[in-house]
Amino acid sequence: MPDLSRFEEEVFQALPFLRTSPEAFRKAFFAQAQRASAPPKAFICMEGDRCRHLPLVLSGSARVYKSGDQGREITLYRLETGESCILTASCILTEHPFPAFAVAESDVTAAFIPAATFRRWLDEHDVWRQYVFDLLWQRLADVITVVEAVTFRRMDARIAAYLVAAVGEGTDLRTTHEAIADELGTAREVVSRNLKEFEREGLLNLSRGAIHLTDLEGLRKIARGL
């Protein structure tokens, strides 16, 4: 595909299935898709909004979360490169308002597909229908994981699992107790109490805005409920 535009290059990089899609669908996609961007902390969608476009993330990360009456938050899932928001898709199909919040965590670039086009493509293009159904399966799995964690796992295990996952291959994490609480859907005081207990047990060291993990294996055991 010679002489690709910058937008086309971004799309093919983030959505490789489009490279091998039927030519008719590729042409339809680029005729309808609109490039959009959002800076960190910008709201992409607010609770109660009407969904007029389906965003396909080309770069960056966005967080989809619910907020309770007392200001507590819980993350439902994140949108990364090549992904889309299945809540938005369901709202487009049912014409119901968006039931959560979506906010950019970094600079986000996306391809926006108009709602009417999204619905029409489900009937006209097998490759689009498969992409949407795959997203639906993955997002349902993500939300079920959240429900299982909230319902069946102790909070110390959830916090330990979060810390281990958040540091990846490292041992240091720049975050706040409130941010962890928002992530897990609990109170900041609960997170602080558990983190201080972990510190007393020699599993980590706390400092302002940062956590240094000193015993990853010990935290993994707690995360497994051992």
Side-chain angles (χ1 to χ4, degrees):
M1 297 178 188
D3 301 323
L4 294 179
S5 69
R6 179 191 172 196
F7 180 48
E8 288 173 322
E9 290 176 347
E10 287 178 315
V11 168
F12 286 135
Q13 178 110 17
L15 305 166
F17 79 91
L18 275 171
R19 287 187 181 276
T20 55
S21 297
E23 184 178 359
F25 178 67
R26 289 201 307 272
K27 287 183 177 179
F29 184 94
F30 288 111
Q32 292 290 327
Q34 304 166 22
R35 189 179 187 275
S37 60
K41 298 184 180 180
F43 279 97
I44 299 169
C45 206
M46 301 281 284
E47 187 170 10
D49 283 354
R50 292 288 175 179
C51 299
R52 295 180 171 84
H53 299 84
L54 180 75
L56 309 178
V57 178
L58 304 180
S59 64
S61 174
R63 173 178 173 243
V64 180
Y65 67 95
K66 283 289 290 183
S67 180
D69 293 337
Q70 297 180 340
R72 291 187 190 176
E73 299 175 1
I74 185 167
T75 299
L76 300 178
Y77 52 83
R78 281 182 167 78
L79 303 176
E80 306 287 350
T81 299
E83 298 179 340
S84 186
C85 181
I86 203 64
L87 279 180
T88 303
S90 67
C91 292
I92 290 174
L93 291 172
T94 62
E95 298 186 353
H96 289 163
F98 195 70
F101 294 90
V103 64
E105 293 190 305
S106 63
D107 287 312
V108 173
T109 302
F112 275 24
I113 306 300
T117 301
F118 164 77
R119 288 192 293 265
R120 188 176 72 252
W121 284 355
L122 288 175
D123 292 329
E124 296 178 351
H125 299 286
D126 291 342
V127 65
W128 178 250
R129 187 163 54 248
Q130 187 62 52
Y131 170 74
V132 173
F133 286 173
D134 286 346
L135 281 175
L136 175 61
W137 175 85
Q138 183 58 57
R139 289 293 166 246
L140 284 176
D142 291 343
V143 173
I144 287 172
T145 298
V146 171
V147 172
E148 287 178 338
V150 171
T151 306
F152 301 117
R153 298 184 70 187
R154 300 194 320 262
M155 184 52 66
D156 63 339
R158 294 179 63 206
I159 294 173
Y162 171 81
L163 293 173
V164 171
V167 297
E169 298 297 320
T171 57
D172 294 291
L173 178 62
R174 299 289 304 181
T175 190
T176 65
H177 298 191
E178 184 172 1
I180 297 173
D182 288 345
E183 190 75 22
L184 300 179
T186 188
R188 180 184 59 79
E189 294 78 10
V190 173
V191 171
S192 296
R193 184 168 62 248
N194 278 276
L195 290 177
K196 288 175 182 176
E197 181 61 28
F198 291 166
E199 187 173 44
R200 282 193 291 270
E201 294 174 4
L203 301 171
L204 54 79
N205 292 323
L206 299 173
S207 58
R208 186 176 181 83
I211 302 173
H212 174 69
L213 307 189
T214 57
D215 187 352
L216 280 168
E217 187 54 39
L219 288 167
R220 290 191 184 102
K221 288 181 179 178
I222 294 173
R224 294 194 298 266
L226 302 179

